[in-house]
Amino acid sequence: MRASPTQHKYNQIADHFERLIHKNVFKVGSKLPSVRSVSVKYGVNPGTVFQAYYSLESKGLVEAKPKSGYYVRFNRRRLPESTITHTREVPEAGNASEILATMFHNLSFKDFVNFSTASPDMNLLPALKLKKIIHQTLKSGNPGIEYPPLQGSPDLRNQIARICVPWSKDVDPDHIVTTSGCIEALRLCLNAVTQPGDTVAVQHPAYFGFFQLLSSLRLNAVEVNVNDKDFNEEQLMNIVKKFSLKALLLVTNFNNPDGNTLTTAQKKKLVQLVTKMQVPLIEDDVYGDLYFTARRPSTCKSFDKEGWVMYCNSFSKTLAPGYRVGWCLPGRFLDQVIQFKLSTAISGVALTELAIAKFLENGRYDYHLQKMRTALNVQYLRYLRDIIEYFPEKIRISRPAGGFVVWIQLPEGVDACKLYNRAIEFGVLIAPGQIFSFSNRFSNFIRLSFAKAHNENVATALRRVGSILHQMIN
Ligand SMILES: Cc1ncc(COP(=O)(O)O)c(C=O)c1O
C-alpha cells in the first residue's frame, strides 16, 4: 500500500522534530511549538500536526500536558547517539589546513591532556573578579547595551594607554582602536595596507592563524628568518625590494611557536628599515606581558617616530580569551583602520570592553600579571625538567623567556604528525610542526604548551610522549 500525501507530511514533520530533539535543539523539558503555529508553517491542517506529535509521543520522545502542549521528555535511548564521536588521525601527508581541521576536531574531547593550544589555563585567569565586574556593570547606569564608540570605549582606551607605560610613555588613547581580539587587529591592519594579490613577509616558524588570515585576505606570504642570531638587515631589505612587500607581519616578543624575541637593537634596526623603505611593520605583541625576566621586553612601536609600525595586542592571553577584546595602534594608518572597522564590525562589544576597563582601572592588572608570570615560569621549569628526563637526548628544546609554549626539534626524519597520531591513542594532544609554516619546513618539530598547571597527569602524559619518541627513533 502506498502512503498518502497526508501520511508523508505528518512523517516529515515528526522526523524534523525528532532530529531537533536528538540534536538537543529542543532540550528535555522544553515545549514544542504549538499545533496551530506548526500547521501554519507547514501549510497543513492541525490534525496532521497532531498525528506527528502522537508519533513522537509513541516513541517516548514527548509527552502531552493538559491545556499546555507537548514537552520533550527524558528518553534513555537518545543518550548514546548524542554523545558518541571519534577522534581523528591527522593526515600525515596533509597540508597545514587539513592537519589543523583535524586538530580542532580532536580538541572537543575534554578528557585529553592538552598540550596543543597556546591559550591560558582557566586557573591562571581572574575569572571570579571578572564575573563580579560583569555583574556590577550590568547593574550600573551603563550596562553595555548601546553601541560603544566606533574607535572603542574611551574608558578602555584610557586604561590601555596606562598599561602601555612600561614600554612607552607616549601612547595616546586617541590613537588606539579596540578590536575583537588580536586577530581582528591584525586583519584590520592588513586590510588598511594591502590589496588581494599583494605579498606580505611572515617570520618562520609562525603562528598558524597568520596563514589562515593571509589566505582569507588573498595575500601571498614570503617566509623570512628573523631569529635572534639569523637576523640580517640587508637580507631583509633585499626581500622587501624583490617581492615588493606591502607589509611585514612579525611577533617581536616570545614568538609562537619558537619563543624567539628580537633584541632591542634589532627592533630599532627594523623600525629604521621599515621607515626608510616606507613599508608598514605589523607588530604582534600578544605575549609581551608574559615575560619571565626582570623587565618587560621592548617593542618596535616604542621606537617608531613616523608611524610605520602598526602595533597589535589583546587581553586573550592574559585575562579572558572569550571576551574577545584586543586593540591596535595603527600609526599613520589610523583613519584607514577605523574605516575598515566601521565596514566590518561597526563596533566592539560594549559589555566586555567596559568590564576589562574596570578591571584595569582597579589596578588589579599588574598584580594579576605578576602572579600569572610567576606561575607560568614555575610551570615551564617543571615541564622542562620532565621533557629532559623523559624525551630522547637527541632532541633540542627552545628556552623561551616568556609566553606559554616550548618548541622542540626532533631528530631528522621523525614525523611530528606520526607522533601526534600515536600520542592521541594515549589521550595526549600535541601540536605538530607542520602547521607553523606553509612550506612544510618543520615536519620534525613539535610545539608543547605549558599553560596547564603541572601535575601527575601532565608528568605521565609527557612520559608517554617521550616513550613513543624513543620507540620511533630506535
Ligand atoms: C601570535 C598570536 N597572535 C594572535 C593570536 C590570536 O589572539 P586573539 O585570541 O586575541 O585573537 C594568537 C593566538 O594564539 C597568537 O599566538
Side-chain angles (χ1 to χ4, degrees):
M1 203 173 77
R2 290 181 61 196
S4 73
T6 333
Q7 276 173 314
H8 277 313
K9 207 71 196 174
Y10 96 75
N11 272 333
Q12 274 173 20
I13 299 172
D15 285 352
H16 173 68
F17 280 103
E18 186 170 346
R19 270 197 307 277
L20 295 180
I21 292 169
H22 280 306
K23 285 187 170 164
N24 255 344
V25 175
F26 288 104
K27 293 196 167 62
V28 173
S30 66
K31 191 179 171 189
L32 292 190
S34 71
V35 169
R36 188 209 293 258
S37 68
V38 178
S39 77
V40 171
K41 178 163 183 269
Y42 279 83
V44 295
N45 63 43
T48 307
V49 183
F50 271 119
Q51 253 183 310
Y53 282 9
Y54 294 152
S55 153
L56 294 172
E57 200 175 14
S58 70
K59 291 183 176 175
L61 292 170
V62 302
E63 62 189 337
K65 290 195 182 164
K67 294 193 182 149
S68 179
Y70 283 85
Y71 289 80
V72 179
R73 56 179 291 216
F74 175 75
N75 183 321
R76 195 178 296 276
R77 276 181 302 156
R78 287 183 17 227
L79 291 181
E81 223 181 318
S82 61
T83 53
I84 291 177
T85 38
H86 299 282
T87 53
R88 294 186 197 141
E89 292 200 342
V90 297
E92 283 166 19
N95 62 33
S97 4
E98 290 164 341
I99 298 170
L100 269 172
T102 314
M103 287 176 64
F104 276 100
H105 168 83
N106 291 341
L107 276 177
S108 56
F109 298 88
K110 300 286 177 224
D111 294 342
F112 278 83
V113 179
N114 180 11
F115 300 134
S116 75
T117 37
S119 56
D121 194 68
M122 267 295 280
N123 297 330
L124 293 170
L125 303 175
L128 273 180
K129 292 204 173 80
L130 286 167
K131 196 168 146 188
K132 228 186 217 170
I133 290 174
I134 289 275
H135 278 297
Q136 284 164 357
T137 312
L138 285 171
K139 283 196 231 149
S140 74
N142 180 8
I145 288 171
E146 289 179 297
Y147 283 124
L150 171 60
Q151 209 173 323
S153 135
D155 286 354
L156 179 60
R157 287 187 287 118
N158 286 337
Q159 290 306 317
I160 289 173
R162 196 180 59 76
I163 60 166
C164 289
V165 169
W167 57 265
S168 171
K169 301 206 172 27
D170 301 326
V171 174
D172 181 337
D174 290 342
H175 297 165
I176 295 172
V177 182
T178 67
T179 56
S180 172
C182 187
I183 205 76
E184 197 203 15
L186 300 170
R187 175 184 288 275
L188 292 174
C189 291
L190 284 165
N191 274 145
V193 298
T194 63
Q195 301 283 339
D198 283 347
T199 304
V200 169
V202 179
Q203 77 214 87
H204 71 93
Y207 166 51
F208 53 78
F210 288 179
F211 304 123
Q212 294 178 317
L213 183 57
L214 295 180
S215 117
S216 75
L217 294 172
R218 286 188 271 137
L219 294 170
N220 305 310
V222 175
E223 290 181 313
V224 291
N225 200 345
V226 290
N227 270 5
D228 221 355
K229 49 189 181 323
D230 302 315
F231 183 88
N232 183 326
E233 211 186 331
E234 189 127 337
Q235 215 171 35
L236 206 53
M237 203 126 87
N238 290 337
I239 292 175
V240 172
K241 280 192 212 145
K242 181 173 167 196
F243 294 95
S244 305
L245 294 185
K246 293 295 180 292
L248 280 83
L249 168 55
L250 302 178
V251 178
T252 49
N253 295 317
F254 318 126
N255 181 40
N256 171 14
D258 64 353
N260 184 62
T261 295
L262 294 181
T263 63
T264 295
Q266 288 166 338
K267 285 171 183 151
K268 281 184 186 163
K269 277 191 191 151
L270 203 51
V271 177
Q272 277 166 10
L273 184 149
V274 296
T275 306
K276 183 168 158 204
M277 305 207 74
Q278 307 206 332
V279 178
L281 164 64
I282 303 175
E283 179 178 35
D284 177 335
D285 190 29
V286 81
Y287 297 102
D289 282 327
L290 298 176
Y291 52 94
F292 307 151
T293 44
R295 255 197 256 139
R296 193 200 195 283
S298 57
T299 65
C300 287
K301 186 70 194 168
S302 62
F303 307 115
D304 178 32
K305 299 278 176 284
E306 296 187 25
W308 287 98
V309 179
M310 307 174 84
Y311 177 91
C312 301
N313 205 332
S314 78
F315 296 98
S316 304
K317 305 297 173 189
T318 53
L319 275 184
Y323 282 14
R324 307 307 300 140
V325 179
W327 50 283
C328 58
L329 278 165
R332 57 172 57 220
F333 303 98
L334 177 69
D335 293 342
Q336 290 93 318
V337 164
I338 294 176
Q339 202 51 41
F340 272 103
K341 184 175 173 187
L342 174 65
S343 63
T344 53
I346 301 178
S347 79
V349 177
L351 181 61
T352 50
E353 287 199 359
L354 291 171
I356 291 208
K358 258 280 173 291
F359 187 93
L360 302 179
E361 195 182 296
N362 293 345
R364 289 176 171 142
Y365 195 51
D366 282 351
Y367 173 68
H368 160 67
L369 282 180
Q370 266 172 34
K371 268 191 10 194
M372 189 168 175
R373 286 192 289 259
T374 309
L376 280 173
N377 198 0
V378 170
Q379 281 170 210
Y380 162 58
L381 294 171
R382 292 189 175 149
Y383 275 64
L384 187 64
R385 181 197 59 201
D386 285 357
I387 293 168
I388 290 171
E389 180 168 349
Y390 301 131
F391 284 36
E393 268 178 29
K394 289 179 198 156
I395 61 160
R396 294 174 68 188
I397 316 165
S398 67
R399 296 289 194 275
F404 9 70
V405 293
V406 279
W407 183 234
I408 300 176
Q409 183 174 11
L410 311 173
E412 208 62 47
V414 176
D415 184 336
C417 281
K418 270 202 180 109
L419 178 62
Y420 176 93
N421 290 333
R422 298 279 302 274
I424 43 172
E425 289 169 22
F426 292 93
V428 185
L429 294 173
I430 59 165
Q434 284 90 334
I435 60 173
F436 301 100
S437 146
F438 59 80
S439 51
N440 205 11
R441 282 170 200 245
F442 299 104
S443 60
N444 63 321
F445 283 77
I446 57 169
R447 187 195 72 181
L448 293 186
S449 155
F450 51 84
K452 197 177 165 49
H454 186 277
N455 57 25
E456 263 313 299
N457 283 347
V458 165
T460 308
L462 289 172
R463 198 166 54 232
R464 289 211 165 117
V465 177
S467 69
I468 300 170
L469 263 176
H470 277 288
Q471 286 165 15
M472 286 175 80
I473 289 170
N474 296 325

